[in-house]
């Protein structure tokens, strides 16, 4: 099956992710897929939460931290500003504490803790996770293409949903028990009702958001995850291991895209020895890819002789990936 066939066969898979090691082409493939689907008349958002993302470079537009920017008809792109998101996240926490506990302002010791927490990796991950939830739960687009961070971070991110969910399940369960005790005490005192539990409601709100996001990320009917790899032995081994780890989180693996394949026809020409050696090395690696991933390889993309940036080059890449001429 080709990559184009995949989208014909599975039209309901609206949430797309390209994963793999850093520098293999995830962002360019995300951009090219967004371009292809937009040309097919679908409304598409391609987005990234990676601080080192290069959607701005690829589209040759400054989109960092500016929300959903229209790139062309039907195609929008977004790069989340993690620092701003953390600042907004902290402000949201302050307002919720003030609202829940009826304070006029945040006590100094809590304010110090909130400020110090910005240096914690967990705060950045939480803010980014929340940003992704905000983007995907709106449902404003036909397709969402998530340009994932490199593998290690992606696995951590994917594991967060289950960790958060388990933690919230425990906390909300305890809170629910407390509510039952409060109700019993209110009945014994013949009070009509107890005050609304704002903390419990907030926990349920967070739990619902994480639940919605987790369902999207692991929904075999709506989500497709593609691995990007290159014809190099170490990359192939790492990809195989990562695919096994992703499967543990029930991420629906949909196929593999091989990037930077050098044309064997060049061997007929007078080319440098190092290039001949590289082509032979790739031949061995491609055989290995065929043995390990077989028909799950949906596309093999040749090495381009120029940097992938600008809509004209993105169109060229999309035409190669999807084996189709685009207008």
């Amino acid at each position: 099956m080709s990559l184009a066939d995949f989208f014909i066969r599975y039209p309901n898979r609206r949430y797309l992710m390209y994963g793999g090691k850093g520098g293999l082409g995830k962002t360019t493939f995300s951009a090219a897929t967004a371009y292809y689907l937009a040309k097919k008349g679908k409304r598409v958002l391609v987005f990234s939460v990676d601080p080192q993302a290069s959607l701005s470079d690829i589209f040759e537009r400054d989109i960092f931290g500016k929300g959903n920017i229209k790139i062309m008809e039907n195609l929008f792109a977004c790069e989340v500003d993690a620092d701003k998101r953390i600042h907004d996240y902290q402000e949201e926490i302050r307002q919720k504490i003030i609202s829940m506990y009826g304070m006029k302002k945040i006590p100094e010791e809590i304010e110090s803790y909130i400020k110090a927490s910005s240096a914690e990796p967990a705060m950045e991950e939480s803010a980014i996770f929340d940003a992704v939830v905000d983007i995907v739960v709106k449902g404003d687009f036909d397709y969402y293409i998530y340009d994932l961070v490199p593998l290690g971070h992606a696995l951590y991110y994917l594991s967060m949903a289950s960790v958060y969910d388990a933690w919230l399940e425990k906390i909300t369960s305890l809170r629910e028990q407390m509510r039952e005790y409060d109700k019993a005490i209110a009945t014994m005192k013949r009070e009509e009702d107890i005050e609304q539990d704002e903390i419990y409601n907030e926990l349920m709100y967070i739990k619902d958001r994480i639940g919605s996001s987790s369902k999207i990320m692991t929904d075999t009917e709506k989500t497709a995850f593609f691995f990007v790899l290159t014809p190099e032995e170490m990359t192939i081994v790492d990809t195989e291991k990562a695919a096994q780890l992703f499967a543990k989180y029930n991420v629906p693996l949909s196929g593999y895209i091989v990037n930077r394949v050098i044309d064997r026809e060049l061997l007929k020409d007078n080319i440098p020895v190092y290039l001949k050696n590289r082509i032979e090395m790739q031949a061995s690696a491609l055989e290995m890819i065929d043995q390990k991933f077989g028909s799950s390889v949906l596309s093999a993309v040749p090495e381009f002789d120029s940097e992938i940036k600008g809509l004209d080059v993105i169109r060229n890449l999309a035409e190669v990936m999807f084996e189709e001429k685009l207008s």
Side-chain angles (χ1 to χ4, degrees):
M1 181 169 58
S2 70
L3 193 56
D5 290 338
F6 178 90
F7 285 94
I8 294 170
R9 186 176 296 186
Y10 303 107
N12 294 328
R13 297 197 182 179
R14 302 174 51 214
Y15 302 97
L16 314 177
M17 292 178 280
Y18 282 98
K21 292 175 67 175
L24 296 186
K26 298 187 301 296
T27 307
T28 52
F29 285 176
S30 296
T33 302
Y35 183 97
Y36 173 80
L37 292 169
K39 280 289 182 182
K40 292 290 181 181
K42 305 297 183 185
R43 189 173 152 83
V44 186
L45 175 67
V46 55
F47 69 97
S48 174
V49 296
D50 185 352
Q52 295 181 325
S54 49
L55 285 173
S56 285
D57 294 333
I58 288 172
F59 288 122
E60 298 182 315
R61 294 275 299 274
D62 181 14
I63 62 172
F64 182 72
K66 296 182 176 176
N68 300 342
I69 301 297
K70 185 174 182 178
I71 302 298
M72 63 181 220
E73 191 66 28
N74 294 324
L75 173 54
F76 294 78
C78 171
E79 281 181 340
V80 174
D81 181 344
D83 289 339
K84 182 178 182 305
R85 190 74 193 184
I86 289 170
H87 178 269
D88 293 347
Y89 197 61
Q90 289 176 326
E91 186 54 33
E92 193 179 327
I93 290 171
R94 286 189 190 95
Q95 293 306 316
K96 283 180 178 173
I97 291 173
I98 287 172
S99 172
M100 284 180 188
Y101 297 100
M103 298 173 174
K104 290 184 179 177
K105 68 172 190 176
I106 298 289
E108 194 174 321
E109 58 272 24
I110 295 179
E111 179 61 36
S112 299
Y113 176 77
I114 291 174
K115 284 180 179 173
S117 67
S118 63
E120 294 287 335
M123 175 62 85
E124 181 177 344
E125 298 290 351
S126 298
I128 288 173
F129 185 88
D130 212 46
V132 174
V133 174
D134 267 351
I135 290 170
V136 299
V137 299
K138 285 182 181 172
D140 297 337
F141 294 88
D142 297 319
Y143 283 92
Y144 290 88
I145 302 178
Y146 182 6
D147 174 26
L148 272 177
V149 290
L151 280 177
H153 285 90
L155 281 167
Y156 178 68
Y157 168 77
L158 290 166
S159 68
M160 278 189 68
S162 56
V163 171
Y164 274 179
D165 200 46
W167 179 76
L168 283 167
E169 183 67 39
K170 199 167 187 176
I171 296 295
T172 49
S173 174
L174 287 170
R175 199 74 196 179
E176 181 66 29
Q177 287 178 29
M178 289 174 66
R179 290 187 73 191
E180 292 303 317
Y181 292 142
D182 288 344
K183 281 181 184 175
I185 291 169
T187 302
M188 289 169 66
K189 290 182 176 177
R190 298 188 177 180
E191 293 173 352
E192 289 189 358
D193 202 358
I194 59 172
E195 290 183 5
Q196 193 174 19
D197 190 337
E198 293 289 341
I199 295 175
Y200 177 80
N201 291 341
E202 179 63 19
L203 288 170
M204 289 305 295
Y205 170 73
I206 296 170
K207 193 169 185 295
D208 286 346
R209 280 166 63 82
I210 290 177
S212 300
S213 175
S214 296
K215 282 177 188 170
I216 289 171
M217 299 284 282
T218 57
D219 190 332
T220 54
E221 298 296 319
K222 295 180 179 174
T223 303
F225 184 95
F226 304 104
F227 263 115
V228 179
L229 71 161
T230 51
E232 295 167 315
E233 190 174 333
M234 281 187 64
T235 305
I236 297 166
V237 172
D238 287 345
T239 301
E240 189 178 27
K241 287 178 183 173
Q244 291 166 357
L245 285 171
F246 272 65
K248 285 186 179 177
Y249 293 107
N250 300 317
V251 175
L253 302 181
S254 300
Y256 300 81
I257 315 294
V258 185
N259 196 15
R260 295 178 188 155
V261 180
I262 302 172
D263 188 354
R264 281 191 66 82
E265 289 296 308
L266 288 174
L267 290 173
K268 297 175 182 174
D269 300 334
N270 184 23
I271 58 175
V273 173
Y274 83 88
L275 188 53
K276 286 181 182 174
N277 291 341
R278 191 158 181 80
I279 291 171
E280 293 303 336
M281 180 204 74
Q282 283 203 349
S284 171
L286 287 167
E287 192 175 323
M288 189 174 172
I289 288 171
D290 187 49
Q291 289 170 359
K292 290 185 178 295
F293 308 122
S295 59
S296 296
V297 176
L298 303 177
S299 183
V301 178
E303 180 85 85
F304 272 54
D305 59 5
S306 65
E307 199 173 358
I308 308 292
K309 57 193 303 187
L311 287 179
D312 287 343
V313 183
I314 291 172
R315 184 192 64 236
N316 293 341
L317 175 59
E319 288 179 346
V320 172
M321 285 175 69
F322 291 90
E323 303 173 60
E324 181 179 337
K325 275 287 182 189
L326 299 169
S327 57

